[in-house]
Amino acid sequence: MRENRMNRYAQIKKPGIQVKLGIVIALAAVIYLSSVVVLFWNLTGSVQRRTNESYQSLTDVYVSQLRLEFEEVEKYVNTLSVDFDLNMLALEDPLTDEYQIRLYQIRQKIFSYYFNYRILTGFYLYDARTGMITYVPDDKGHYADFVREYVVREDATNGWYQFSPEGETGIALARTYRVSESLCLFAFVNLSGIAEEFGTIAKESGLLWDIEDSDGRAYYGTWGIMDHSMRREPFDVIAQTLEYSTIDLTFQLFVGSDVIWKQNKIYIGYFSLSLLVFSVFVIGVIWYMRRRMLKPLQQLLDGMERFAGGDEQVRLCGVAQAEPEMQYALASFNHMVEEIRENKFLIYETKLEKQKLLIQNMQSQINPHFFSNTTNLIYNLLEIGKTDTAEKCLLLLSSYYRYMTTIGDESTALKQEMEFVSSYLDIMKLRFPNKLSCEITTEDALKELQIPPLLIQPLAENCIKHGFTDRRHEFWIGIRIYEQDGAAVIDVCDNGRGFPEKYRGFFDQKTPVPVRETEDGGDNHVGMQNIYQRLIMHYGERASMLIDSTGQFTTVRLRIAAWRRAGESGTESE
């Protein structure tokens, strides 16, 4: 059997790890240099095409979103026009209390739905019998002149109108509906807010822009309304028209030749720098791997070969330049040989079980979906030119996986875990801009508390995965770590969907967390039961967990009694 092991080892070792490493590095260099040559070859034409396609896609998406919002406003006005209270209001006597009560109810209905439509700037209800205008919200009669002008028009019809508000530049849109001879309903959209949003998009890309009507008149922007002598000749015009009912507005981005040239310079500079960095990196990796890893690894392989050949007295000397991990590997090899001589079979079974647990632990830690989504985010940021944000995201991802691959098996400092959690949440905020907010507070005295690694991060990940379901509203996560009555308390809160009733409650060593199942019947790979078991195994009876949902907030509370003793020992000492 030992001879068979020697033959298998010789077959594995024949190509040599140095040769394999050289082939991998050479192959990577060839692929990289080939890619650089191809990219430089097609740079001039491809940059222009990609830039125009990117801005066209950006404009199309923006205008399509506006069109959907106008359609939603249209649907809401149509729904409101057949409301029972509104139609009954037209029949009530304005001098009665019933009229006032029904008017109040209608206003409350409008107010409760008004903030669901971000493009709306006002809802007006006009009653010709009293000449009174009801505002939602109360904007002091900003569009009152248009309302009074509309109600006396003989040719007034239900639909969208475009007009210039009194005392303002630009235009506004009004969706009108005549409920009865005396009662009219109005929904107003001020284009200044939309123009400001579109202008911000153009400004971030360094572009000129404008918004024109069907006659080619520009009401907003930095291009159409500026003096002709100050205009730059555009390289290309990116336009998309919003046509809905009687609305006909064209949103335009002007991509100047200076923008294209700037992007060319960025690419040229990037590839030139990347060539230099890649060359230095390859040389550094070869030198580093050979001096600090390959040499001690070769010594380790030689020792393994001798041991497999029957030399159970083999002893390996440490290499001074080797990495601590390699020195530890050499020392561990010597210790392993010594232990095998004392009890071969016991050490073999123990080591096999330890390796199995380690592999399972690493497999449970790494989330391929998170890595894939984050790399796609970095790619998209680079596609639209947000290199600073992409760089920040890449650094956060690097910090995230550095922690994942360096944490110990038993415990880690709380401050290191929180730095890891902060990196994860910062990446999530980049993935969902303006949709996710986080608050993290940690008392200084608790930062050195030793906790099981990956104890808090799965809670934050659980908030995102199961609580952040409604992407239309801002999602909030709060993590508060503080001392209370001599115990360390970790609160993770969110305003998401919450836990089902049967998973809420207080859990300690005597009351375990129930197994939570997914829709297909399988256990969650990261669940509250896993966190509970690790907490109880680490701290014993000093630990407890509370899962609670009250009102609009859900809280998971981890409590560690006598935390100072726990922090000093790192594990349960009883």
Side-chain angles (χ1 to χ4, degrees):
M1 182 174 293
R2 176 169 293 176
E3 183 177 352
N4 292 335
R5 288 203 307 269
M6 283 291 296
N7 292 335
R8 289 197 302 270
Y9 177 76
Q11 293 175 359
I12 295 174
K13 187 183 175 183
K14 275 183 180 179
I17 190 170
Q18 298 186 42
V19 176
K20 292 180 179 179
L21 181 62
I23 293 174
V24 171
I25 293 176
L27 182 61
V30 170
I31 295 175
Y32 178 79
L33 293 175
S34 300
S35 301
V36 170
V37 171
V38 172
L39 287 173
F40 268 102
W41 185 265
N42 298 289
L43 183 62
T44 303
S46 61
V47 168
Q48 176 184 345
R49 175 176 49 80
R50 289 197 303 269
T51 301
N52 290 340
E53 289 177 353
S54 175
Y55 290 137
Q56 185 66 61
S57 177
L58 183 66
T59 307
D60 292 347
V61 170
Y62 181 78
V63 173
S64 296
Q65 181 63 33
L66 278 181
R67 184 179 294 108
L68 291 176
E69 293 181 11
F70 274 103
E71 290 176 357
E72 290 297 323
V73 172
E74 178 83 11
K75 291 179 182 177
Y76 180 61
V77 172
N78 291 335
T79 301
L80 191 61
S81 66
V82 296
D83 182 79
F84 176 78
D85 289 329
L86 183 63
N87 284 272
M88 288 299 297
L89 186 68
L91 303 177
E92 297 283 358
D93 184 351
L95 300 179
T96 62
D97 291 338
E98 288 79 3
Y99 177 87
Q100 297 298 327
I101 294 173
R102 202 173 296 278
L103 180 62
Y104 174 79
Q105 291 174 340
I106 294 171
R107 189 179 187 278
Q108 290 302 111
K109 285 182 181 181
I110 297 175
F111 192 86
S112 63
Y113 287 96
Y114 172 79
F115 295 100
N116 292 338
Y117 307 98
R118 69 180 186 91
I119 63 173
L120 283 180
T121 55
F123 250 106
Y124 286 20
L125 183 63
Y126 177 80
D127 193 335
R129 294 172 296 176
T130 62
M132 182 180 66
I133 303 177
T134 302
Y135 313 129
V136 178
D138 187 4
D139 66 350
K140 311 302 182 184
H142 191 66
Y143 303 110
D145 291 339
F146 171 80
V147 171
R148 294 189 176 94
E149 177 187 343
Y150 170 84
V151 296
V152 299
R153 293 174 56 177
E154 296 182 356
D155 59 342
T157 58
N158 296 335
W160 286 95
Y161 286 84
Q162 178 177 303
F163 68 99
S164 297
E166 185 70 23
E168 291 188 10
T169 59
I171 58 175
L173 300 172
R175 174 60 172 92
T176 64
Y177 189 88
R178 186 178 294 274
V179 181
S180 66
E181 289 296 327
S182 60
L183 200 62
C184 295
L185 182 67
F186 302 86
F188 292 99
V189 176
N190 193 328
L191 286 184
S192 61
I194 297 175
E196 181 179 355
E197 186 178 69
F198 188 65
T200 300
I201 296 174
K203 184 178 180 181
E204 289 177 351
S205 302
L207 304 179
L208 296 177
W209 64 281
D210 69 12
I211 300 177
E212 299 180 352
D213 62 8
S214 58
D215 296 328
R217 290 174 297 185
Y219 292 98
Y220 302 95
T222 55
W223 173 263
I225 64 175
M226 71 187 300
D227 186 76
H228 286 262
S229 61
M230 300 177 61
R231 291 184 177 180
R232 296 176 297 171
E233 287 300 323
F235 182 87
D236 205 350
V237 179
I238 307 300
Q240 179 59 267
T241 301
L242 172 62
E243 294 181 338
Y244 181 76
S245 184
T246 58
I247 303 172
D248 191 353
L249 298 173
T250 301
F251 293 74
Q252 298 186 120
L253 294 177
F254 298 88
V255 185
S257 57
D258 56 337
V259 176
I260 301 299
W261 172 244
K262 181 179 180 181
Q263 293 203 9
N264 271 285
K265 289 194 297 184
I266 292 175
Y267 277 100
I268 292 173
Y270 167 76
F271 286 123
S272 300
L273 180 62
S274 65
L275 281 174
L276 177 62
V277 171
F278 181 77
S279 301
V280 173
F281 174 77
V282 170
I283 295 174
V285 167
I286 293 175
W287 179 86
Y288 176 86
M289 295 289 292
R290 181 175 178 82
R291 183 179 179 86
R292 302 181 67 87
M293 296 188 69
L294 291 179
K295 185 176 180 180
L297 181 60
Q298 186 62 49
Q299 184 180 0
L300 180 62
L301 291 174
D302 291 340
M304 294 175 65
E305 182 179 9
R306 289 170 56 189
F307 180 77
D311 185 4
E312 296 185 356
Q313 302 298 323
V314 60
R315 298 284 297 177
L316 302 180
C317 299
V319 179
Q321 298 83 9
E323 287 292 306
E325 292 85 352
M326 297 305 301
Q327 294 180 1
Y328 176 77
L330 296 176
S332 298
F333 176 80
N334 293 332
H335 179 72
M336 180 191 69
V337 172
E338 186 69 24
E339 290 291 328
I340 288 178
R341 286 205 302 266
E342 296 177 0
N343 194 336
K344 292 182 179 180
F345 298 102
L346 178 62
I347 294 298
Y348 176 79
E349 293 175 357
T350 303
K351 188 174 181 62
L352 186 63
E353 184 65 20
K354 183 177 180 180
Q355 290 176 348
K356 179 180 178 181
L357 293 176
L358 180 60
I359 291 173
Q360 292 175 349
N361 185 39
M362 293 301 294
Q363 288 175 340
S364 67
Q365 292 173 2
I366 298 176
N367 189 333
H369 298 291
F370 172 76
F371 179 78
S372 176
N373 291 335
T374 306
T375 52
N376 286 336
L377 171 62
I378 295 173
Y379 174 79
N380 292 331
L381 289 172
L382 291 173
E383 276 287 304
I384 64 177
K386 293 187 177 181
T387 55
D388 292 342
T389 307
E391 180 181 5
K392 177 181 177 181
C393 187
L394 187 59
L395 290 174
L396 291 172
L397 182 62
S398 175
S399 175
Y400 178 92
Y401 276 94
R402 186 184 301 114
Y403 179 84
M404 291 284 284
T405 56
T406 57
I407 55 177
D409 293 331
E410 295 183 356
S411 64
T412 186
L414 178 64
K415 64 180 181 180
Q416 295 177 344
E417 175 82 0
M418 293 312 299
E419 291 174 358
F420 173 62
V421 174
S422 296
S423 297
Y424 171 78
L425 292 177
D426 287 343
I427 293 175
M428 290 296 102
K429 286 193 286 187
L430 291 175
R431 282 187 59 197
F432 305 104
N434 302 321
K435 292 294 184 181
L436 177 64
S437 63
C438 308
E439 295 181 16
I440 300 177
T441 57
T442 305
E443 292 186 1
D444 293 337
L446 291 166
K447 290 184 177 180
E448 298 301 327
L449 171 64
Q450 295 295 311
I451 63 173
L454 297 178
L455 181 67
I456 304 176
Q457 190 274 342
L459 293 175
E461 182 178 348
N462 197 59
C463 291
I464 300 293
K465 181 178 179 182
H466 300 290
F468 190 17
T469 56
D470 187 357
R471 303 294 166 82
R472 297 173 300 175
H473 303 288
E474 183 179 21
F475 184 68
W476 173 84
I477 297 177
I479 301 177
R480 183 186 173 209
I481 303 173
Y482 56 96
E483 184 177 4
Q484 184 183 67
D485 299 331
V489 181
I490 303 171
D491 285 348
V492 180
C493 308
D494 65 62
N495 61 345
R497 184 176 60 182
F499 284 86
E501 183 67 29
K502 68 176 182 178
Y503 299 117
R504 306 175 191 171
F506 178 81
F507 309 99
D508 56 11
Q509 197 172 34
K510 298 179 181 179
T511 307
V513 174
V515 177
R516 186 176 183 181
E517 296 183 349
T518 56
E519 295 180 357
D520 58 1
D523 292 340
N524 280 323
H525 64 90
V526 177
M528 302 307 298
Q529 188 191 44
N530 184 23
I531 298 173
Y532 159 79
Q533 289 176 345
R534 296 177 64 218
L535 188 68
I536 297 300
M537 289 178 61
H538 199 81
Y539 298 110
E541 64 183 10
R542 295 203 300 269
S544 63
M545 174 187 289
L546 175 67
I547 301 177
D548 189 20
S549 293
T550 57
Q552 297 179 346
F553 296 93
T554 298
T555 301
V556 176
R557 173 170 295 171
L558 308 181
R559 183 180 178 90
I560 305 168
W563 71 270
R564 295 185 184 277
R565 180 155 61 94
E568 293 170 358
S569 63
T571 57
E572 178 65 26
S573 59
E574 297 180 0

